[in-house]
Amino acid sequence: MKTQALKTFFICALLIATSTYANEFQPKKPIKKQTVKVALLLDTSNSMDGLINQAKAQLWEIVNELSYAKYNGVAPNLEIALYEYGNSNLSSKEGYIRQVLQFTSDLDEISEHLFSLNTNGGSEYCGQVIKTSLKELDWGSNKRDLKMIFIAGNEPFTQGKVNYKDAITDAKEKDIIVNTIFCGDYNQGISGMWQDGAMYGGGDYMTINQNKHIVHIVTPYDNDIIILNKRLNNTYIHYGTYGSSKYSNQAKQDMNAESLDEAVAVKRAVTKSSNLYKNAEWDLVDASEEKEIDFSKIKKEQLPKQLQNKSVKEIKTYVDEKRKERAEIQQKIQELNKKRKAYVAKKQQENTKKNELESVMIKAIKKQAKKKNYSW
């Protein structure tokens, strides 16, 4: 009996140990990331050059603020879509509306398309552009995603055949918040029903001076960040059909940012050191972190010249080296940025930026994100 009891005891112990081992070492299910989806609907009629310039200059600071967001302790993904409306160069049949960019996390592509926008006189149909963005964009069905429309313009919100309330009703059914940004006087925007649109859409009504000169504060850390950004670019390894052109576009968007102001280039460099700047579609370092790469199947002619005659083992080693180098550079940029932000906070006068695009958007995003349990 004792022998039988011992056997039973050891069998039970073995089963428990095996079960514990299996639970400990089986692959864990990856945590599904939530997504912040932002659709920018920008009026590109004649008087809106200032709005477009603010969007170009302040994109990076908006993204940088979003990079600090968390949902249940995990950083969410970010996707941005872009529409222009009210431009007489666009088709009247389509309501002078054009989808510039479907939802994407490719920040270089977003920058590229913002710099491609030109203004021209036209009719601004707010209700129709909202309705069009609801129909054409892939908003998804995840209720924990934060989904927002920001529509900016300076004509009455009521123009066009599509009633803005009908369009916003459709948005609410999809759990999409509608925010309105009137480019002009606060009371004029109220009489033009921009405030009503935001209230009906569960969002914020904001006003900006689109022609305001943007003041960038220069800091003692800017030059070091610019130098690190150049080193950061050297850690990217393009591959695939569009790899080389995407790599070139990265450098082009650096130059576009610098053409506005060196401080804008600094903010873009900070973005490139954040968790939101990922280029797995064309960069081997990012790609190898997200998925298994069969290096033997990569076309050598689509790699940088210095790797085209390397063996698979040598390419793998090179990728690993660049990953480590990139992580170190990104960390240094983030450390310098903490000092930069503290310096800017001291120098910045109160209300200096309260009526700029960057300021009003960040404030609205944070407020609405908290209601969905996102934190900073």
Side-chain angles (χ1 to χ4, degrees), residues 28-34 71-77 144:
K28 295 179 180 178
K29 291 181 180 178
I31 298 171
K32 180 175 171 55
K33 277 193 172 188
Q34 309 314 320
Y71 185 91
N72 288 338
V74 179
N77 294 319
R144 291 182 293 276

Side-chain angles (χ1 to χ4, degrees), residues 6-71:
L6 282 169
K7 281 184 180 179
T8 305
F9 172 78
F10 283 120
I11 289 169
C12 289
L14 183 62
L15 286 170
I16 291 167
T18 304
S19 173
T20 304
Y21 180 88
N23 288 333
E24 186 176 348
F25 291 96
Q26 69 182 8
K28 295 179 180 178
K29 291 181 180 178
I31 298 171
K32 180 175 171 55
K33 277 193 172 188
Q34 309 314 320
T35 303
V36 176
K37 293 193 171 193
V38 178
L40 297 175
L41 318 181
L42 302 180
D43 178 354
T44 57
S45 61
N46 258 339
S47 53
M48 289 291 105
D49 289 292
L51 170 66
I52 305 307
N53 285 335
Q54 284 195 26
K56 291 174 187 174
Q58 298 177 340
L59 167 68
W60 305 113
E61 192 64 25
I62 293 167
V63 172
N64 289 340
E65 281 299 320
L66 282 168
S67 73
Y68 304 126
K70 294 283 188 294
Y71 185 91

Side-chain angles (χ1 to χ4, degrees), residues 6 23 29 32 43 73 76 98 106 138 175 188 194 205 227 229 253 260 277 286 311 328 339 357 372:
L6 282 169
N23 288 333
K29 291 181 180 178
K32 180 175 171 55
D43 178 354
R98 179 173 76 97
D106 187 333
D138 180 11
D175 195 28
Q188 188 182 348
W194 284 78
Y205 164 60
I227 292 169
N229 180 62
Q253 298 320 308
L260 296 171
Y277 189 78
D286 282 345
S311 68
E328 289 171 4
K339 296 176 182 177
L357 185 67
K372 281 216 163 190

